């Protein structure tokens, strides 16, 4: 997150089930101040850390809202997430201790876009690569032979796949892959057929991967 200030929200839970207050810490500057202002339901207090950050604590009483832990655990409405995209990185290696961040993904409500820069493909010409996609797998072939594959975190519509291969840095070819996500069925407790968020792209590296 960029900018001159950073806000982090914490919850202060009082009692077994009811949420009585929110604690909001607002990092405002690098200055030290030790003062506080208290007013019924709102408390401002500065504290310093070893790094010299000033943190302002704002406590807001929300006991009159009747919130419970069940309310906080409920999923966000799908309408709220429609225009939100999420991004992340994943490893393309079958070795769990290797985190090469070779898979960069961007997910929206109805599609996912992936950029693959697989270190094991170093030196392979981009024009020799191809991508094969099924409803829940992606395979990469070089000169007609499958060299890498993965199982996806969800199902896609293979007929909507668009991919492009091009030369990348350090002689590692880059594969850009975009596909529409398949709507969840009513059996997945999604009566409206809306797409679910995957929160990633790769569920498991394929057993046929030789890289």
């Amino acid at each position: 997150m960029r900018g001159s200030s950073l806000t982090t929200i914490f919850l202060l839970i009082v009692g077994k089930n009811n949420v009585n207050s929110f604690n909001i810490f607002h990092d405002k500057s690098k200055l030290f101040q030790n003062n506080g202002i208290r007013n019924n339901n709102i408390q401002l207090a500065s504290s310093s850390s070893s790094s010299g950050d000033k943190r302002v604590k704002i406590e807001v009483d929300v006991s009159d809202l009747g919130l419970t832990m069940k309310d906080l655990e409920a999923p966000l409405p799908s309408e709220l997430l429609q225009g939100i995209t999420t991004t992340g990185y994943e490893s393309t290696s079958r070795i769990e201790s290797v985190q090469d961040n070779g898979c960069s993904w961007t997910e929206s409500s109805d599609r996912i876009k992936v950029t693959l820069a697989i270190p094991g493909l170093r030196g392979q010409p981009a024009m020799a690569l191809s991508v094969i996609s099924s409803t829940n797998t992606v395979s990469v072939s070089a000169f007609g032979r499958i060299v890498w594959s993965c199982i996806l975190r969800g199902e896609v519509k293979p007929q909507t796949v668009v991919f492009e291969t091009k030369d990348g840095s350090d002689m590692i070819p880059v594969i850009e892959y975009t596909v529409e996500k398949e709507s969840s069925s009513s059996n997945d407790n999604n009566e409206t057929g809306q797409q679910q968020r995957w929160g990633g792209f790769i569920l498991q590296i394929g057993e046929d991967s030789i890289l």
Side-chain angles (χ1 to χ4, degrees):
M1 182 178 294
R2 297 180 179 178
S4 59
S5 64
L6 173 64
T7 300
T8 307
I9 299 179
F10 297 89
L11 293 179
L12 175 63
I13 310 299
V14 179
K16 290 185 177 180
N17 298 315
N18 293 330
V19 179
N20 290 335
S21 65
F22 283 96
N23 282 344
I24 303 175
F25 292 90
H26 190 186
D27 296 326
K28 296 186 66 176
S29 68
K30 298 294 182 180
L31 300 176
F32 288 107
Q33 287 189 9
N34 292 312
N35 53 40
I37 304 173
R38 180 182 295 272
N39 181 8
N40 292 335
N41 297 331
I42 300 179
Q43 175 184 327
L44 303 179
S46 300
S47 62
S48 60
S49 62
S50 57
S51 61
D53 294 337
K54 174 191 172 183
R55 308 186 69 197
V56 177
K57 174 184 175 183
I58 305 175
E59 182 175 336
V60 181
D61 186 357
V62 294
S63 58
D64 59 331
L65 299 180
L67 292 174
T68 66
M69 288 302 299
K70 185 177 180 179
D71 296 325
L72 298 179
E73 293 170 356
L76 291 174
S78 57
E79 297 80 4
L80 183 63
L81 302 176
Q82 287 297 316
I84 297 177
T85 59
T86 54
T87 62
Y89 291 86
E90 294 175 329
S91 176
T92 62
S93 175
R94 291 182 60 189
I95 304 174
E96 294 184 0
S97 59
V98 176
Q99 298 296 322
D100 57 32
N101 290 336
C103 173
S104 169
W105 55 268
T106 300
E107 182 185 11
S108 64
S109 61
D110 60 349
R111 69 180 59 240
I112 190 162
K113 179 179 180 181
V114 177
T115 300
L116 293 171
I118 304 171
L121 291 176
R122 188 187 308 274
Q124 298 291 336
M127 65 178 63
L129 302 180
S130 184
V131 176
I132 305 169
S133 182
S134 69
T135 56
N136 64 344
T137 63
V138 169
S139 300
V140 176
S141 65
F143 295 100
R145 180 185 181 185
I146 294 178
V147 293
W148 184 90
S149 66
C150 72
I151 300 174
L152 306 181
R153 291 177 181 255
E155 293 189 353
V156 299
K157 300 176 182 178
Q159 67 274 17
T160 66
V161 169
V162 176
F163 74 89
E164 179 184 3
T165 62
K166 56 186 180 181
D167 295 327
S169 60
D170 296 328
M171 297 182 65
I172 300 177
V174 174
I175 301 170
E176 294 186 349
Y177 169 95
T178 304
V179 67
E180 292 182 12
K181 298 189 296 184
E182 185 64 78
S183 300
S184 299
S185 66
S186 57
N187 293 333
D188 295 327
N189 298 321
N190 192 3
E191 298 291 342
T192 60
Q194 294 175 338
Q195 289 87 351
Q196 297 294 316
R197 293 285 175 158
W198 294 6
F201 181 71
I202 300 173
L203 177 64
Q204 180 181 335
I205 303 297
E207 294 295 331
D208 57 354
S209 298
I210 63 176
L211 301 179

mmCIF file of all heavy atoms in Angstrom, residues 111-157:
data_model
loop_
_atom_site.group_PDB
_atom_site.id
_atom_site.type_symbol
_atom_site.label_atom_id
_atom_site.label_comp_id
_atom_site.label_asym_id
_atom_site.label_seq_id
_atom_site.Cartn_x
_atom_site.Cartn_y
_atom_site.Cartn_z
ATOM 1 N N ARG A 111 -13.003 -13.922 -14.374
ATOM 2 C CA ARG A 111 -11.892 -14.434 -15.155
ATOM 3 C C ARG A 111 -10.591 -14.372 -14.366
ATOM 4 O O ARG A 111 -10.505 -13.723 -13.326
ATOM 5 C CB ARG A 111 -11.743 -13.692 -16.491
ATOM 6 C CG ARG A 111 -11.290 -12.246 -16.358
ATOM 7 C CD ARG A 111 -11.157 -11.586 -17.729
ATOM 8 N NE ARG A 111 -12.409 -11.612 -18.471
ATOM 9 C CZ ARG A 111 -12.568 -12.200 -19.658
ATOM 10 N NH1 ARG A 111 -11.549 -12.788 -20.242
ATOM 11 N NH2 ARG A 111 -13.746 -12.171 -20.268
ATOM 12 N N ILE A 112 -9.596 -15.061 -14.900
ATOM 13 C CA ILE A 112 -8.280 -15.031 -14.265
ATOM 14 C C ILE A 112 -7.218 -14.901 -15.354
ATOM 15 O O ILE A 112 -7.327 -15.523 -16.420
ATOM 16 C CB ILE A 112 -8.042 -16.285 -13.390
ATOM 17 C CG1 ILE A 112 -6.778 -16.124 -12.534
ATOM 18 C CG2 ILE A 112 -8.002 -17.564 -14.214
ATOM 19 C CD1 ILE A 112 -6.714 -17.082 -11.366
ATOM 20 N N LYS A 113 -6.250 -14.046 -15.100
ATOM 21 C CA LYS A 113 -5.149 -13.819 -16.031
ATOM 22 C C LYS A 113 -3.854 -14.224 -15.353
ATOM 23 O O LYS A 113 -3.601 -13.852 -14.205
ATOM 24 C CB LYS A 113 -5.090 -12.347 -16.450
ATOM 25 C CG LYS A 113 -3.955 -12.033 -17.413
ATOM 26 C CD LYS A 113 -3.947 -10.571 -17.813
ATOM 27 C CE LYS A 113 -2.796 -10.271 -18.768
ATOM 28 N NZ LYS A 113 -2.759 -8.832 -19.162
ATOM 29 N N VAL A 114 -3.033 -14.974 -16.089
ATOM 30 C CA VAL A 114 -1.809 -15.529 -15.506
ATOM 31 C C VAL A 114 -0.629 -15.232 -16.420
ATOM 32 O O VAL A 114 -0.739 -15.308 -17.651
ATOM 33 C CB VAL A 114 -1.941 -17.058 -15.303
ATOM 34 C CG1 VAL A 114 -0.643 -17.638 -14.778
ATOM 35 C CG2 VAL A 114 -3.082 -17.368 -14.355
ATOM 36 N N THR A 115 0.491 -14.899 -15.809
ATOM 37 C CA THR A 115 1.756 -14.778 -16.527
ATOM 38 C C THR A 115 2.711 -15.822 -15.963
ATOM 39 O O THR A 115 3.015 -15.806 -14.762
ATOM 40 C CB THR A 115 2.364 -13.376 -16.372
ATOM 41 O OG1 THR A 115 1.453 -12.400 -16.900
ATOM 42 C CG2 THR A 115 3.690 -13.272 -17.117
ATOM 43 N N LEU A 116 3.156 -16.739 -16.812
ATOM 44 C CA LEU A 116 4.060 -17.810 -16.399
ATOM 45 C C LEU A 116 5.459 -17.537 -16.929
ATOM 46 O O LEU A 116 5.647 -17.326 -18.136
ATOM 47 C CB LEU A 116 3.575 -19.161 -16.924
ATOM 48 C CG LEU A 116 2.264 -19.709 -16.352
ATOM 49 C CD1 LEU A 116 1.828 -20.941 -17.130
ATOM 50 C CD2 LEU A 116 2.426 -20.038 -14.879
ATOM 51 N N ALA A 117 6.426 -17.519 -16.033
ATOM 52 C CA ALA A 117 7.833 -17.427 -16.398
ATOM 53 C C ALA A 117 8.522 -18.578 -15.667
ATOM 54 O O ALA A 117 9.057 -18.404 -14.571
ATOM 55 C CB ALA A 117 8.420 -16.079 -16.005
ATOM 56 N N ILE A 118 8.475 -19.756 -16.266
ATOM 57 C CA ILE A 118 8.942 -20.985 -15.620
ATOM 58 C C ILE A 118 10.447 -21.115 -15.815
ATOM 59 O O ILE A 118 10.929 -21.241 -16.959
ATOM 60 C CB ILE A 118 8.217 -22.207 -16.213
ATOM 61 C CG1 ILE A 118 6.701 -22.022 -16.076
ATOM 62 C CG2 ILE A 118 8.661 -23.485 -15.533
ATOM 63 C CD1 ILE A 118 5.882 -23.058 -16.805
ATOM 64 N N PRO A 119 11.233 -21.088 -14.727
ATOM 65 C CA PRO A 119 12.696 -21.149 -14.857
ATOM 66 C C PRO A 119 13.181 -22.371 -15.637
ATOM 67 O O PRO A 119 14.195 -22.300 -16.334
ATOM 68 C CB PRO A 119 13.169 -21.180 -13.403
ATOM 69 C CG PRO A 119 12.080 -20.485 -12.640
ATOM 70 C CD PRO A 119 10.818 -20.894 -13.326
ATOM 71 N N GLY A 120 12.449 -23.492 -15.546
ATOM 72 C CA GLY A 120 12.866 -24.707 -16.249
ATOM 73 C C GLY A 120 12.791 -24.602 -17.756
ATOM 74 O O GLY A 120 13.340 -25.444 -18.469
ATOM 75 N N LEU A 121 12.115 -23.567 -18.266
ATOM 76 C CA LEU A 121 12.003 -23.362 -19.711
ATOM 77 C C LEU A 121 13.105 -22.455 -20.250
ATOM 78 O O LEU A 121 13.053 -22.051 -21.413
ATOM 79 C CB LEU A 121 10.645 -22.769 -20.062
ATOM 80 C CG LEU A 121 9.432 -23.688 -19.869
ATOM 81 C CD1 LEU A 121 8.145 -22.932 -20.151
ATOM 82 C CD2 LEU A 121 9.543 -24.904 -20.786
ATOM 83 N N ARG A 122 14.070 -22.124 -19.418
ATOM 84 C CA ARG A 122 15.152 -21.229 -19.846
ATOM 85 C C ARG A 122 15.822 -21.768 -21.118
ATOM 86 O O ARG A 122 16.194 -22.947 -21.200
ATOM 87 C CB ARG A 122 16.196 -21.101 -18.737
ATOM 88 C CG ARG A 122 17.261 -20.041 -19.005
ATOM 89 C CD ARG A 122 18.358 -20.104 -17.945
ATOM 90 N NE ARG A 122 17.806 -20.049 -16.612
ATOM 91 C CZ ARG A 122 17.527 -18.921 -15.951
ATOM 92 N NH1 ARG A 122 17.753 -17.758 -16.546
ATOM 93 N NH2 ARG A 122 17.050 -18.964 -14.724
ATOM 94 N N GLY A 123 15.945 -20.897 -22.088
ATOM 95 C CA GLY A 123 16.596 -21.273 -23.341
ATOM 96 C C GLY A 123 15.652 -21.798 -24.396
ATOM 97 O O GLY A 123 16.042 -21.915 -25.566
ATOM 98 N N GLN A 124 14.412 -22.121 -24.037
ATOM 99 C CA GLN A 124 13.452 -22.616 -25.024
ATOM 100 C C GLN A 124 12.897 -21.444 -25.833
ATOM 101 O O GLN A 124 12.537 -20.412 -25.273
ATOM 102 C CB GLN A 124 12.301 -23.351 -24.332
ATOM 103 C CG GLN A 124 12.711 -24.586 -23.555
ATOM 104 C CD GLN A 124 13.165 -25.703 -24.486
ATOM 105 O OE1 GLN A 124 12.783 -25.758 -25.655
ATOM 106 N NE2 GLN A 124 13.995 -26.594 -23.964
ATOM 107 N N PRO A 125 12.812 -21.573 -27.141
ATOM 108 C CA PRO A 125 12.245 -20.477 -27.947
ATOM 109 C C PRO A 125 10.754 -20.338 -27.692
ATOM 110 O O PRO A 125 10.028 -21.333 -27.605
ATOM 111 C CB PRO A 125 12.529 -20.927 -29.389
ATOM 112 C CG PRO A 125 12.699 -22.413 -29.306
ATOM 113 C CD PRO A 125 13.295 -22.697 -27.962
ATOM 114 N N ALA A 126 10.301 -19.112 -27.550
ATOM 115 C CA ALA A 126 8.896 -18.865 -27.237
ATOM 116 C C ALA A 126 7.978 -19.432 -28.310
ATOM 117 O O ALA A 126 6.891 -19.932 -28.018
ATOM 118 C CB ALA A 126 8.666 -17.359 -27.083
ATOM 119 N N MET A 127 8.394 -19.399 -29.572
ATOM 120 C CA MET A 127 7.531 -19.877 -30.648
ATOM 121 C C MET A 127 7.337 -21.393 -30.610
ATOM 122 O O MET A 127 6.438 -21.923 -31.273
ATOM 123 C CB MET A 127 8.113 -19.447 -32.003
ATOM 124 C CG MET A 127 9.457 -20.082 -32.321
ATOM 125 S SD MET A 127 10.077 -19.577 -33.953
ATOM 126 C CE MET A 127 10.276 -17.823 -33.697
ATOM 127 N N ALA A 128 8.166 -22.090 -29.840
ATOM 128 C CA ALA A 128 8.041 -23.542 -29.753
ATOM 129 C C ALA A 128 7.107 -23.982 -28.636
ATOM 130 O O ALA A 128 6.855 -25.168 -28.462
ATOM 131 C CB ALA A 128 9.414 -24.174 -29.541
ATOM 132 N N LEU A 129 6.581 -23.027 -27.872
ATOM 133 C CA LEU A 129 5.725 -23.343 -26.726
ATOM 134 C C LEU A 129 4.256 -23.260 -27.105
ATOM 135 O O LEU A 129 3.855 -22.467 -27.944
ATOM 136 C CB LEU A 129 6.010 -22.379 -25.573
ATOM 137 C CG LEU A 129 7.442 -22.322 -25.049
ATOM 138 C CD1 LEU A 129 7.540 -21.320 -23.902
ATOM 139 C CD2 LEU A 129 7.924 -23.693 -24.594
ATOM 140 N N SER A 130 3.477 -24.090 -26.445
ATOM 141 C CA SER A 130 2.041 -24.060 -26.636
ATOM 142 C C SER A 130 1.364 -24.365 -25.309
ATOM 143 O O SER A 130 1.988 -24.906 -24.382
ATOM 144 C CB SER A 130 1.606 -25.084 -27.697
ATOM 145 O OG SER A 130 0.212 -24.999 -27.946
ATOM 146 N N VAL A 131 0.078 -24.011 -25.203
ATOM 147 C CA VAL A 131 -0.679 -24.211 -23.972
ATOM 148 C C VAL A 131 -1.924 -25.033 -24.279
ATOM 149 O O VAL A 131 -2.644 -24.745 -25.238
ATOM 150 C CB VAL A 131 -1.086 -22.862 -23.334
ATOM 151 C CG1 VAL A 131 -1.967 -23.090 -22.110
ATOM 152 C CG2 VAL A 131 0.144 -22.060 -22.946
ATOM 153 N N ILE A 132 -2.144 -26.057 -23.458
ATOM 154 C CA ILE A 132 -3.330 -26.902 -23.579
ATOM 155 C C ILE A 132 -4.119 -26.764 -22.284
ATOM 156 O O ILE A 132 -3.561 -26.914 -21.190
ATOM 157 C CB ILE A 132 -2.949 -28.378 -23.803
ATOM 158 C CG1 ILE A 132 -2.021 -28.516 -25.007
ATOM 159 C CG2 ILE A 132 -4.198 -29.233 -23.976
ATOM 160 C CD1 ILE A 132 -1.393 -29.884 -25.138
ATOM 161 N N SER A 133 -5.418 -26.483 -22.397
ATOM 162 C CA SER A 133 -6.219 -26.252 -21.198
ATOM 163 C C SER A 133 -7.464 -27.132 -21.221
ATOM 164 O O SER A 133 -8.105 -27.305 -22.256
ATOM 165 C CB SER A 133 -6.640 -24.781 -21.100
ATOM 166 O OG SER A 133 -7.379 -24.535 -19.925
ATOM 167 N N SER A 134 -7.774 -27.719 -20.067
ATOM 168 C CA SER A 134 -9.039 -28.426 -19.880
ATOM 169 C C SER A 134 -9.847 -27.640 -18.850
ATOM 170 O O SER A 134 -9.510 -26.506 -18.516
ATOM 171 C CB SER A 134 -8.785 -29.857 -19.399
ATOM 172 O OG SER A 134 -8.284 -29.862 -18.071
ATOM 173 N N THR A 135 -10.903 -28.233 -18.337
ATOM 174 C CA THR A 135 -11.739 -27.501 -17.387
ATOM 175 C C THR A 135 -11.019 -27.220 -16.075
ATOM 176 O O THR A 135 -11.370 -26.255 -15.382
ATOM 177 C CB THR A 135 -13.024 -28.290 -17.084
ATOM 178 O OG1 THR A 135 -12.671 -29.599 -16.604
ATOM 179 C CG2 THR A 135 -13.877 -28.415 -18.335
ATOM 180 N N ASN A 136 -10.018 -28.019 -15.706
ATOM 181 C CA ASN A 136 -9.343 -27.781 -14.433
ATOM 182 C C ASN A 136 -7.836 -28.018 -14.484
ATOM 183 O O ASN A 136 -7.199 -28.188 -13.450
ATOM 184 C CB ASN A 136 -9.952 -28.650 -13.319
ATOM 185 C CG ASN A 136 -9.744 -30.134 -13.565
ATOM 186 O OD1 ASN A 136 -9.424 -30.549 -14.677
ATOM 187 N ND2 ASN A 136 -9.928 -30.933 -12.524
ATOM 188 N N THR A 137 -7.254 -28.053 -15.695
ATOM 189 C CA THR A 137 -5.800 -28.216 -15.808
ATOM 190 C C THR A 137 -5.249 -27.298 -16.891
ATOM 191 O O THR A 137 -5.968 -26.880 -17.807
ATOM 192 C CB THR A 137 -5.413 -29.664 -16.157
ATOM 193 O OG1 THR A 137 -5.941 -30.005 -17.454
ATOM 194 C CG2 THR A 137 -5.917 -30.647 -15.110
ATOM 195 N N VAL A 138 -3.954 -27.016 -16.773
ATOM 196 C CA VAL A 138 -3.217 -26.294 -17.803
ATOM 197 C C VAL A 138 -1.908 -27.035 -18.038
ATOM 198 O O VAL A 138 -1.220 -27.405 -17.081
ATOM 199 C CB VAL A 138 -2.928 -24.834 -17.383
ATOM 200 C CG1 VAL A 138 -1.924 -24.194 -18.339
ATOM 201 C CG2 VAL A 138 -4.204 -24.018 -17.372
ATOM 202 N N SER A 139 -1.585 -27.274 -19.311
ATOM 203 C CA SER A 139 -0.335 -27.939 -19.667
ATOM 204 C C SER A 139 0.441 -27.065 -20.637
ATOM 205 O O SER A 139 -0.142 -26.415 -21.507
ATOM 206 C CB SER A 139 -0.605 -29.305 -20.314
ATOM 207 O OG SER A 139 -1.314 -30.164 -19.440
ATOM 208 N N VAL A 140 1.753 -27.058 -20.473
ATOM 209 C CA VAL A 140 2.645 -26.315 -21.364
ATOM 210 C C VAL A 140 3.501 -27.325 -22.111
ATOM 211 O O VAL A 140 4.103 -28.212 -21.493
ATOM 212 C CB VAL A 140 3.541 -25.347 -20.575
ATOM 213 C CG1 VAL A 140 4.532 -24.648 -21.510
ATOM 214 C CG2 VAL A 140 2.690 -24.312 -19.836
ATOM 215 N N SER A 141 3.536 -27.199 -23.424
ATOM 216 C CA SER A 141 4.345 -28.106 -24.231
ATOM 217 C C SER A 141 5.451 -27.336 -24.938
ATOM 218 O O SER A 141 5.298 -26.147 -25.261
ATOM 219 C CB SER A 141 3.480 -28.838 -25.269
ATOM 220 O OG SER A 141 2.944 -27.916 -26.206
ATOM 221 N N ALA A 142 6.574 -28.017 -25.160
ATOM 222 C CA ALA A 142 7.700 -27.459 -25.909
ATOM 223 C C ALA A 142 8.019 -28.434 -27.038
ATOM 224 O O ALA A 142 8.267 -29.620 -26.789
ATOM 225 C CB ALA A 142 8.914 -27.274 -25.006
ATOM 226 N N PHE A 143 7.957 -27.945 -28.266
ATOM 227 C CA PHE A 143 8.153 -28.786 -29.446
ATOM 228 C C PHE A 143 7.208 -29.981 -29.438
ATOM 229 O O PHE A 143 7.559 -31.097 -29.813
ATOM 230 C CB PHE A 143 9.605 -29.259 -29.531
ATOM 231 C CG PHE A 143 10.593 -28.143 -29.754
ATOM 232 C CD1 PHE A 143 11.321 -27.629 -28.691
ATOM 233 C CD2 PHE A 143 10.771 -27.589 -31.018
ATOM 234 C CE1 PHE A 143 12.228 -26.601 -28.892
ATOM 235 C CE2 PHE A 143 11.675 -26.558 -31.226
ATOM 236 C CZ PHE A 143 12.408 -26.057 -30.158
ATOM 237 N N GLY A 144 5.976 -29.756 -28.962
ATOM 238 C CA GLY A 144 4.964 -30.795 -28.989
ATOM 239 C C GLY A 144 4.985 -31.751 -27.816
ATOM 240 O O GLY A 144 4.116 -32.632 -27.712
ATOM 241 N N ARG A 145 5.909 -31.597 -26.888
ATOM 242 C CA ARG A 145 6.005 -32.487 -25.726
ATOM 243 C C ARG A 145 5.638 -31.721 -24.453
ATOM 244 O O ARG A 145 6.146 -30.631 -24.221
ATOM 245 C CB ARG A 145 7.417 -33.042 -25.584
ATOM 246 C CG ARG A 145 7.588 -33.985 -24.392
ATOM 247 C CD ARG A 145 9.020 -34.414 -24.238
ATOM 248 N NE ARG A 145 9.177 -35.334 -23.120
ATOM 249 C CZ ARG A 145 10.344 -35.809 -22.691
ATOM 250 N NH1 ARG A 145 11.473 -35.444 -23.306
ATOM 251 N NH2 ARG A 145 10.398 -36.641 -21.672
ATOM 252 N N ILE A 146 4.746 -32.293 -23.651
ATOM 253 C CA ILE A 146 4.342 -31.633 -22.406
ATOM 254 C C ILE A 146 5.499 -31.654 -21.419
ATOM 255 O O ILE A 146 6.038 -32.718 -21.080
ATOM 256 C CB ILE A 146 3.099 -32.309 -21.795
ATOM 257 C CG1 ILE A 146 1.888 -32.113 -22.715
ATOM 258 C CG2 ILE A 146 2.801 -31.741 -20.407
ATOM 259 C CD1 ILE A 146 0.629 -32.787 -22.231
ATOM 260 N N VAL A 147 5.877 -30.460 -20.952
ATOM 261 C CA VAL A 147 7.008 -30.338 -20.038
ATOM 262 C C VAL A 147 6.598 -29.791 -18.674
ATOM 263 O O VAL A 147 7.376 -29.843 -17.715
ATOM 264 C CB VAL A 147 8.106 -29.444 -20.643
ATOM 265 C CG1 VAL A 147 8.721 -30.110 -21.852
ATOM 266 C CG2 VAL A 147 7.534 -28.070 -21.014
ATOM 267 N N TRP A 148 5.395 -29.208 -18.599
ATOM 268 C CA TRP A 148 4.926 -28.647 -17.319
ATOM 269 C C TRP A 148 3.407 -28.629 -17.336
ATOM 270 O O TRP A 148 2.785 -28.371 -18.368
ATOM 271 C CB TRP A 148 5.454 -27.224 -17.128
ATOM 272 C CG TRP A 148 5.094 -26.605 -15.804
ATOM 273 C CD1 TRP A 148 5.817 -26.679 -14.649
ATOM 274 C CD2 TRP A 148 3.931 -25.819 -15.495
ATOM 275 N NE1 TRP A 148 5.183 -25.986 -13.637
ATOM 276 C CE2 TRP A 148 4.015 -25.454 -14.133
ATOM 277 C CE3 TRP A 148 2.841 -25.392 -16.239
ATOM 278 C CZ2 TRP A 148 3.049 -24.681 -13.512
ATOM 279 C CZ3 TRP A 148 1.861 -24.629 -15.617
ATOM 280 C CH2 TRP A 148 1.974 -24.287 -14.261
ATOM 281 N N SER A 149 2.807 -28.904 -16.182
ATOM 282 C CA SER A 149 1.352 -28.842 -16.080
ATOM 283 C C SER A 149 0.960 -28.561 -14.640
ATOM 284 O O SER A 149 1.774 -28.702 -13.713
ATOM 285 C CB SER A 149 0.703 -30.152 -16.552
ATOM 286 O OG SER A 149 1.044 -31.214 -15.676
ATOM 287 N N CYS A 150 -0.291 -28.172 -14.453
ATOM 288 C CA CYS A 150 -0.791 -27.929 -13.103
ATOM 289 C C CYS A 150 -2.285 -28.175 -13.046
ATOM 290 O O CYS A 150 -2.981 -28.120 -14.065
ATOM 291 C CB CYS A 150 -0.466 -26.515 -12.625
ATOM 292 S SG CYS A 150 -1.452 -25.225 -13.436
ATOM 293 N N ILE A 151 -2.749 -28.483 -11.844
ATOM 294 C CA ILE A 151 -4.180 -28.576 -11.572
ATOM 295 C C ILE A 151 -4.622 -27.220 -11.040
ATOM 296 O O ILE A 151 -3.957 -26.631 -10.179
ATOM 297 C CB ILE A 151 -4.472 -29.688 -10.548
ATOM 298 C CG1 ILE A 151 -3.998 -31.035 -11.090
ATOM 299 C CG2 ILE A 151 -5.967 -29.745 -10.222
ATOM 300 C CD1 ILE A 151 -4.124 -32.168 -10.093
ATOM 301 N N LEU A 152 -5.731 -26.714 -11.554
ATOM 302 C CA LEU A 152 -6.206 -25.386 -11.170
ATOM 303 C C LEU A 152 -7.002 -25.433 -9.869
ATOM 304 O O LEU A 152 -7.506 -26.472 -9.462
ATOM 305 C CB LEU A 152 -7.079 -24.808 -12.284
ATOM 306 C CG LEU A 152 -6.455 -24.770 -13.680
ATOM 307 C CD1 LEU A 152 -7.428 -24.158 -14.670
ATOM 308 C CD2 LEU A 152 -5.144 -24.002 -13.662
ATOM 309 N N ARG A 153 -7.148 -24.274 -9.254
ATOM 310 C CA ARG A 153 -7.915 -24.158 -8.014
ATOM 311 C C ARG A 153 -9.424 -24.195 -8.244
ATOM 312 O O ARG A 153 -10.193 -24.285 -7.300
ATOM 313 C CB ARG A 153 -7.555 -22.868 -7.281
ATOM 314 C CG ARG A 153 -6.142 -22.854 -6.716
ATOM 315 C CD ARG A 153 -5.852 -21.513 -6.070
ATOM 316 N NE ARG A 153 -4.504 -21.455 -5.528
ATOM 317 C CZ ARG A 153 -4.197 -21.535 -4.244
ATOM 318 N NH1 ARG A 153 -5.167 -21.691 -3.357
ATOM 319 N NH2 ARG A 153 -2.958 -21.474 -3.832
ATOM 320 N N GLY A 154 -9.836 -24.072 -9.489
ATOM 321 C CA GLY A 154 -11.256 -24.097 -9.831
ATOM 322 C C GLY A 154 -11.419 -24.531 -11.277
ATOM 323 O O GLY A 154 -10.444 -24.930 -11.933
ATOM 324 N N GLU A 155 -12.630 -24.446 -11.773
ATOM 325 C CA GLU A 155 -12.892 -24.845 -13.148
ATOM 326 C C GLU A 155 -13.021 -23.622 -14.053
ATOM 327 O O GLU A 155 -13.461 -22.554 -13.612
ATOM 328 C CB GLU A 155 -14.169 -25.680 -13.216
ATOM 329 C CG GLU A 155 -14.034 -27.031 -12.518
ATOM 330 C CD GLU A 155 -15.231 -27.930 -12.780
ATOM 331 O OE1 GLU A 155 -16.218 -27.452 -13.386
ATOM 332 O OE2 GLU A 155 -15.175 -29.105 -12.384
ATOM 333 N N VAL A 156 -12.612 -23.811 -15.313
ATOM 334 C CA VAL A 156 -12.645 -22.719 -16.291
ATOM 335 C C VAL A 156 -13.416 -23.172 -17.527
ATOM 336 O O VAL A 156 -13.804 -24.336 -17.648
ATOM 337 C CB VAL A 156 -11.214 -22.300 -16.698
ATOM 338 C CG1 VAL A 156 -10.440 -21.814 -15.496
ATOM 339 C CG2 VAL A 156 -10.479 -23.473 -17.362
ATOM 340 N N LYS A 157 -13.620 -22.229 -18.441
ATOM 341 C CA LYS A 157 -14.250 -22.518 -19.729
ATOM 342 C C LYS A 157 -13.134 -22.606 -20.768
ATOM 343 O O LYS A 157 -12.637 -21.575 -21.234
ATOM 344 C CB LYS A 157 -15.235 -21.415 -20.093
ATOM 345 C CG LYS A 157 -16.364 -21.222 -19.080
ATOM 346 C CD LYS A 157 -17.252 -20.043 -19.466
ATOM 347 C CE LYS A 157 -18.343 -19.820 -18.436
ATOM 348 N NZ LYS A 157 -19.194 -18.645 -18.766
#
